[in-house]
């Protein structure tokens, strides 16, 4: 706090020395000090916090400080989501569990999920709620997401259940294995529909290469498990060669370069980050056959 106040004092002294803009600057300074004081004295007043946020996120205000702005933004979030600590934890827990039960009985699935999230949030912010309560509600969540055909969220609930069961050293986790495997299998099926026929293309020094083999994965298989292979998660080091098919029709087994794949948001939507050089592509059946033949030709040559 001392450092912040000293910095603020330095800024004020600097502004006072500018005679031509003294009146306007002092007005801005006084406004900032007044609003920040009001916000600090009334941390649950979200409007007061927002007034300070506007100043701290305005690059032309003279008080631009994103790090300090997070203090006031966090207060807004806390005010919006925190619970009244005057209410005993047991009362809040009973209220939320009851609301979940009533909503589920009425088949209001969205409201049921909302209250389940509220129960989880309450535990995260310190309300005394047992893991068993969360496990039970995750079970409800699995059922609801299966009804809504949302396998990803159903699996998320299932994995949280398994984690909590493991943490509390409860018995019987094996009884969730079949359902967990079914959910993973469904998601793998969705993945294969979206990306199974894709291939990884990398650009190095302006030249494009198509990856046709990575450890145990190769061009003759659907594109599944390739990230684990590429990151070396497999302990079997018998075959670590990565093969790439170049634009010149040659197969390379000593390609030097870094794989970069990331994106960001701007006003136009999603765009690649600087240095991005990797993407997934789809090839024609004829092109894939050409890649398969090149792969076999390399293997045959390597055995000699």
């Amino acid at each position: 706090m001392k450092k912040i106040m000293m910095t603020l004092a330095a800024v004020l002294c600097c502004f006072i020395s500018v005679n031509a803009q003294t009146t306007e600057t002092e007005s801005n300074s006084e406004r900032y000090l007044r609003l920040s004081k009001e916000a600090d004295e009334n941390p649950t007043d979200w409007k007061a916090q927002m007034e300070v946020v506007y100043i701290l996120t305005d690059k032309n205000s003279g008080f631009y400080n994103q790090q300090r702005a997070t203090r006031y933004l966090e207060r807004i979030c806390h005010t919006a989501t925190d619970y009244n600590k005057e209410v005993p934890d047991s009362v809040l827990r009973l209220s939320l569990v009851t609301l979940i039960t009533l909503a589920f009985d009425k088949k209001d699935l969205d409201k049921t999920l909302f209250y389940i999230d509220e129960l989880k949030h309450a535990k995260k912010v310190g309300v005394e709620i047992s893991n068993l309560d969360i496990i039970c509600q995750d079970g409800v969540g699995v059922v609801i997401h299966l009804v809504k055909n949302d396998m990803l969220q159903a699996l998320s609930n299932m994995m949280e259940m398994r984690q909590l069961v493991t943490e509390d050293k409860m018995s019987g986790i094996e009884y969730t294995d079949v359902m967990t495997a079914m959910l993973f299998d469904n998601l793998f099926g969705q993945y294969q529909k979206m990306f199974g026929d894709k291939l990884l293309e990398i650009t190095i020094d302006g030249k494009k290469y198509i990856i046709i083999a990575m450890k145990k994965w190769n061009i003759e298989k659907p594109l599944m498990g390739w990230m684990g292979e590429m990151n070396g998660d497999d302990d079997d080091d018998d075959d670590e060669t990565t093969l790439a098919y170049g634009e010149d029709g040659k197969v390379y087994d000593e390609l030097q370069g870094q794989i970069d794949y990331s994106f960001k948001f701007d006003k136009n939507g999603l765009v690649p980050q600087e240095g991005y050089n990797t993407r997934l592509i789809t090839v024609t059946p004829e092109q894939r056959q050409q890649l398969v033949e090149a792969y076999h030709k390399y293997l045959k040559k390597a055995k000699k």
Side-chain angles (χ1 to χ4, degrees):
M1 178 60 113
K2 181 182 292 184
K3 183 178 179 181
I4 293 174
M5 293 304 294
M6 288 175 64
T7 302
L8 179 59
V11 172
L12 290 176
C13 289
C14 177
F15 282 150
I16 291 172
S17 67
V18 182
N19 296 327
Q21 297 181 352
T22 298
T23 303
E24 181 181 351
T25 303
E26 286 181 351
S27 176
N28 288 339
S29 300
E30 290 172 358
R31 181 170 181 271
Y32 169 75
L33 291 173
R34 174 177 57 81
L35 291 175
S36 61
K37 183 173 183 295
E38 291 177 0
D40 290 340
E41 291 176 348
N42 302 280
T44 60
D45 185 343
W46 69 268
K47 293 182 179 179
Q49 312 308 311
M50 205 63 208
E51 290 288 349
V52 182
V53 169
Y54 287 143
I55 296 174
L56 293 173
T57 56
D58 180 0
K59 292 184 178 181
N60 298 317
S61 68
F63 296 95
Y64 179 72
N65 189 325
Q66 288 184 314
Q67 185 66 31
R68 186 169 177 78
T70 60
R71 172 184 177 183
Y72 298 91
L73 288 168
E74 286 173 351
R75 285 180 181 172
I76 295 172
C77 293
H78 182 78
T79 300
T81 60
D82 198 15
Y83 295 94
N84 186 347
K85 294 302 180 181
E86 293 180 1
V87 178
D89 287 1
S90 59
V91 174
L92 179 57
R93 174 202 163 278
L94 178 61
S95 299
L96 286 169
V97 171
T98 302
L99 287 168
I100 292 169
T101 303
L102 292 174
F104 188 71
D105 286 346
K106 293 180 180 179
K107 296 183 174 58
D108 191 338
L109 304 186
D110 289 336
K111 185 166 287 188
T112 304
L113 292 174
F114 171 79
Y115 286 125
I116 289 175
D117 286 342
E118 286 293 293
L119 184 72
K120 292 181 179 182
H121 176 72
K123 182 177 176 66
K124 288 179 180 178
V125 298
V127 177
E128 188 174 341
I129 295 173
S130 70
N131 281 349
L132 183 58
D133 284 322
I134 303 300
I135 290 170
C136 291
Q137 300 313 323
D138 271 325
V140 176
V142 170
V143 173
I144 292 176
H145 288 303
L146 283 173
V147 171
K148 295 167 74 70
N149 199 33
D150 189 341
M151 301 302 169
L152 179 60
Q153 289 301 319
L155 180 60
S156 177
N157 285 129
M158 181 63 75
M159 294 305 292
E160 183 175 32
M161 286 177 60
R162 292 174 65 94
Q163 179 181 348
L164 295 177
V165 167
T166 301
E167 287 179 2
D168 284 5
K169 298 180 180 180
M170 298 180 183
S171 62
I173 192 172
E174 66 273 13
Y175 300 121
T176 70
D177 287 350
V178 173
M179 178 65 74
T180 305
M182 289 174 61
L183 291 170
F184 267 114
D185 188 70
N186 181 279
L187 288 177
F188 284 151
Q190 292 182 31
Y191 170 86
Q192 190 164 352
K193 287 181 181 179
M194 294 174 65
F195 303 113
D197 67 336
K198 302 288 186 180
L199 295 174
L200 191 67
E201 180 189 82
I202 180 171
T203 301
I204 299 176
D205 295 331
K207 297 179 180 179
K208 297 183 183 299
Y209 302 87
I210 297 175
I211 304 299
I212 59 174
M214 290 182 291
K215 296 187 76 173
K216 291 183 179 181
W217 178 87
N218 64 64
I219 185 66
E220 296 184 287
K221 302 176 182 179
L223 193 64
M224 297 186 70
W226 58 280
M227 279 301 297
E229 303 289 5
M230 187 169 60
N231 290 333
D233 292 345
D234 193 337
D235 293 331
D236 185 359
D237 295 331
D238 292 340
D239 182 12
E240 295 187 2
T241 303
T242 295
L243 303 180
Y245 184 85
E247 294 175 300
D248 55 6
K250 296 180 181 179
V251 175
Y252 294 83
D253 56 11
E254 294 184 355
L255 208 59
Q256 299 295 322
Q258 182 173 339
I259 290 180
D260 290 311
Y261 49 96
S262 58
F263 59 87
K264 61 182 179 181
F265 301 91
D266 70 6
K267 62 181 180 180
N268 297 317
L270 302 179
V271 295
Q273 291 275 21
E274 184 178 354
Y276 171 95
N277 70 344
T278 311
R279 63 174 185 158
L280 293 182
I281 63 171
T282 300
V283 298
T284 65
E286 293 77 18
Q287 290 172 323
R288 181 177 285 272
Q289 183 59 35
Q290 184 180 12
L291 295 171
V292 171
E293 291 174 359
Y295 173 63
H296 286 166
K297 185 177 179 179
Y298 173 88
L299 293 179
K300 185 176 181 180
K301 183 178 179 181
K303 289 180 180 180
K304 293 182 178 180

